[in-house]
């Protein structure tokens, strides 16, 4: 979701307050509804799921510089298709394919952070606008690491596994280790460009976390081998994650590099008709889209089709307000991609 409000203050102050937010969720193997229902539901082929959110409130001066408070959340899971299929089978209590061996890989990335963002909009060219921002961040939540190994179906309702685990965390979701609160501190750069290439062509690009990292002092880490005897699958799914574990649990200093996120659009105008192509890149994943729009007096319509997720987004805008929303399925229980955007200017 994106939401921006700008309200004029007395002219002598040359300042405008603003509020902004971005929200995006995308899941390949399960719907959002299934993810919120303890994964009970249909699974399909897929290799990733992610969610990001950005809230910001602040003030901009002379449309040239400003600062604001930022609250953001970024989570991503990348996994093998075998891993998604195995989890879907056991959670829903379905029959396993006896004798099958599953290749299990999982990479996680997650952080909740907040802080102050400072930005400038330097004068460049009449046809080129730029904004450069620096965020100073503090975080209390970390998830960064990997799981890899194999699992074997020894019967239609039994399986066993052997996994290698290496991850940093503030909450041990795998082995429920008791840990003390830890705080991370860091900074990140972002940049936005809007270029009016000629009368009919415009290119917009924004890069979040162009260069950013959080430093964690004495953060928990687990480096271990986890293995099981036979695990029985019931109609309600397997009972619990209860592996035998050998390895080390330590606390150490850790630098978490923030994953770069890029959004870009290229627009072309023919009279009142507009068309565009766009792309979003984050954590080694690329989502592309194409769209077409029409201007009716001061009212603008634009529709996007997101190729990989099959989501459709519709945007309507006029001088003081713009609204857009997108989903990949009209059935709420089947939605795997969703996003909303609202912008209001006075």
């Amino acid at each position: 979701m994106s939401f921006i409000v700008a309200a004029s203050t007395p002219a002598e102050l040359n300042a405008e307050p603003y509020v902004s937010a971005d929200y995006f969720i995308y899941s390949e193997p399960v719907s959002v509804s299934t993810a919120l229902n303890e994964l009970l539901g249909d699974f399909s082929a897929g290799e990733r799921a992610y969610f990001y959110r950005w809230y910001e409130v602040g003030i901009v001066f002379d449309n040239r510089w400003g600062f604001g408070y930022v609250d953001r959340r970024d989570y991503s899971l990348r996994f093998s298709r075998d891993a998604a299929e195995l989890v879907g089978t056991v959670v829903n209590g379905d029959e396993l394919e006896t004798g099958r061996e599953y290749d299990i890989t999982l990479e996680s990335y997650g952080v909740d952070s907040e802080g102050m963002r400072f930005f400038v909009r330097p004068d460049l060219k009449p046809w080129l606008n730029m904004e450069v921002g620096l965020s100073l961040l503090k975080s209390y939540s970390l998830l960064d690491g990997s799981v890899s190994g194999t699992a074997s179906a020894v019967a239609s309702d039994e399986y066993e596994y052997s996994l290698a685990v290496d991850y940093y965390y503030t909450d041990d979701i795998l082995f429920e280790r008791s840990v003390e609160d830890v705080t991370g501190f860091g900074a990140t750069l972002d940049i936005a460009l809007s270029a009016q290439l000629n009368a009919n062509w415009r290119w917009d690009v924004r890069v979040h976390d162009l260069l950013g990292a959080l430093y964690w002092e004495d953060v928990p880490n687990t480096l271990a081998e986890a293995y099981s005897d036979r695990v029985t699958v019931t109609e309600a799914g397997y009972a619990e994650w209860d592996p035998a574990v050998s390895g080390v649990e330590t606390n150490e200093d850790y630098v978490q590099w923030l994953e770069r996120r890029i959004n870009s659009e290229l627009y072309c105008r023919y009279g009142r008709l507009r068309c565009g192509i766009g792309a979003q890149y984050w954590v080694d994943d690329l989502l592309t889209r194409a769209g077409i729009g029409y201007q009716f007096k001061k009212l603008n319509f634009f529709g996007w089709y997101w190729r990989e997720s099959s989501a459709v987004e519709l945007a309507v805008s006029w001088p003081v307000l713009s609204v857009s929303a997108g989903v990949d399925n009209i059935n709420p229980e089947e939605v795997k991609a969703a996003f909303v955007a609202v912008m209001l200017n006075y």
Side-chain angles (χ1 to χ4, degrees):
M1 179 178 66
S2 299
F3 182 71
I4 297 177
V5 178
S8 297
T9 56
E12 61 270 17
L13 295 180
N14 296 314
E16 292 184 343
Y18 69 90
V19 178
S20 66
D22 284 294
Y23 172 87
F24 194 99
I25 186 168
Y26 177 54
S27 170
E28 289 181 345
V30 298
S31 67
V32 176
S33 176
T34 297
L36 296 176
N37 189 35
E38 298 182 347
L39 299 180
L40 295 174
D42 293 336
F43 275 68
S44 58
E47 297 179 336
R48 67 166 306 128
Y50 55 78
F51 164 82
Y52 65 76
R53 182 202 69 199
W54 176 294
Y55 298 145
E56 182 178 353
V57 57
I59 190 166
V60 57
F61 299 91
D62 295 324
N63 198 32
R64 298 190 59 174
W65 66 278
F67 60 87
Y69 168 79
V70 171
D71 184 355
R72 52 181 290 183
R73 189 174 194 182
D74 307 88
Y75 280 88
S76 169
L77 293 176
R78 290 172 289 172
F79 36 78
S80 62
R81 296 197 173 207
D82 279 5
E85 184 176 342
L86 178 61
V87 170
T89 300
V90 298
V91 168
N92 288 285
D94 298 330
E95 289 190 359
L96 296 165
E97 182 182 340
T98 304
R100 178 174 173 179
E101 186 171 284
Y102 297 84
D103 175 32
I104 306 298
T105 60
L106 170 66
E107 295 183 5
S108 62
Y109 166 76
V111 62
D112 289 274
S113 56
E114 60 179 356
M116 294 297 298
R117 178 175 177 265
F118 305 87
F119 60 90
V120 294
R121 297 169 179 171
D123 287 332
L124 297 176
K125 301 288 184 179
W127 54 271
L128 179 62
N129 296 316
M130 172 188 285
E131 179 178 296
V132 180
L134 171 66
S135 298
L136 305 179
L137 301 174
K138 177 174 64 175
S139 177
Y140 302 101
S141 177
L142 164 70
L143 178 64
D144 203 355
S146 63
V147 176
S148 61
T150 59
S152 300
V154 294
S156 63
D157 60 351
E158 292 182 332
Y159 69 99
E160 57 189 20
Y161 57 83
S162 176
L163 302 172
V165 178
D166 182 7
Y167 84 121
Y168 295 85
Y169 50 87
T170 51
D171 180 17
D172 188 1
I173 59 176
L174 289 181
F175 307 114
E176 300 182 350
R177 172 189 177 188
S178 178
V179 297
E180 297 182 357
D181 293 339
V182 185
T183 303
F185 295 93
T188 183
L189 287 171
D190 62 83
I191 185 171
L193 294 169
S194 181
Q196 190 67 48
L197 304 177
N198 57 39
N200 295 320
W201 290 85
R202 189 180 91 244
W203 177 56
D204 297 335
V205 62
R206 187 173 192 97
V207 183
H208 290 276
D209 302 321
L210 176 66
L211 180 63
L214 292 169
Y215 174 73
W216 298 84
E217 183 176 359
D218 210 29
V219 70
N221 168 252
T222 294
L223 180 62
E225 298 284 338
Y227 55 93
S228 73
D229 292 327
R230 294 191 175 196
V231 179
T232 300
V233 180
T234 67
E235 292 183 359
Y238 69 96
E240 62 181 12
W241 159 268
D242 187 24
V245 181
S246 63
V248 293
E249 294 179 337
T250 60
N251 287 66
E252 57 187 67
D253 296 347
Y254 180 63
V255 175
Q256 181 189 26
W257 293 98
L258 301 180
E259 294 282 356
R260 187 176 297 116
R261 175 159 52 91
I262 304 172
N263 283 282
S264 180
E265 298 90 31
L266 179 65
Y267 295 97
C268 182
R269 184 180 64 183
Y270 298 95
R272 295 183 178 273
L273 188 67
R274 291 187 303 152
C275 58
I277 56 174
Q280 174 180 275
Y281 177 84
W282 192 50
V283 198
D284 297 329
D285 189 50
L286 180 66
L287 297 180
T288 57
R289 59 191 182 275
I292 189 169
Y294 184 80
Q295 181 178 356
F296 180 75
K297 295 183 178 180
K298 294 184 178 181
L299 190 62
N300 291 281
F301 298 90
F302 204 93
W304 291 101
Y305 175 74
W306 294 69
R307 186 175 68 88
E308 287 76 14
S309 64
S310 299
V312 175
E313 177 185 1
L314 177 63
V316 182
S317 65
W318 52 97
V320 297
L321 177 67
S322 66
V323 180
S324 68
V327 292
D328 68 320
N329 199 301
I330 60 174
N331 182 351
E333 295 185 356
E334 299 295 329
V335 170
K336 294 184 177 182
F339 32 91
V340 178
V342 178
M343 299 174 60
L344 176 63
N345 297 279
Y346 294 102

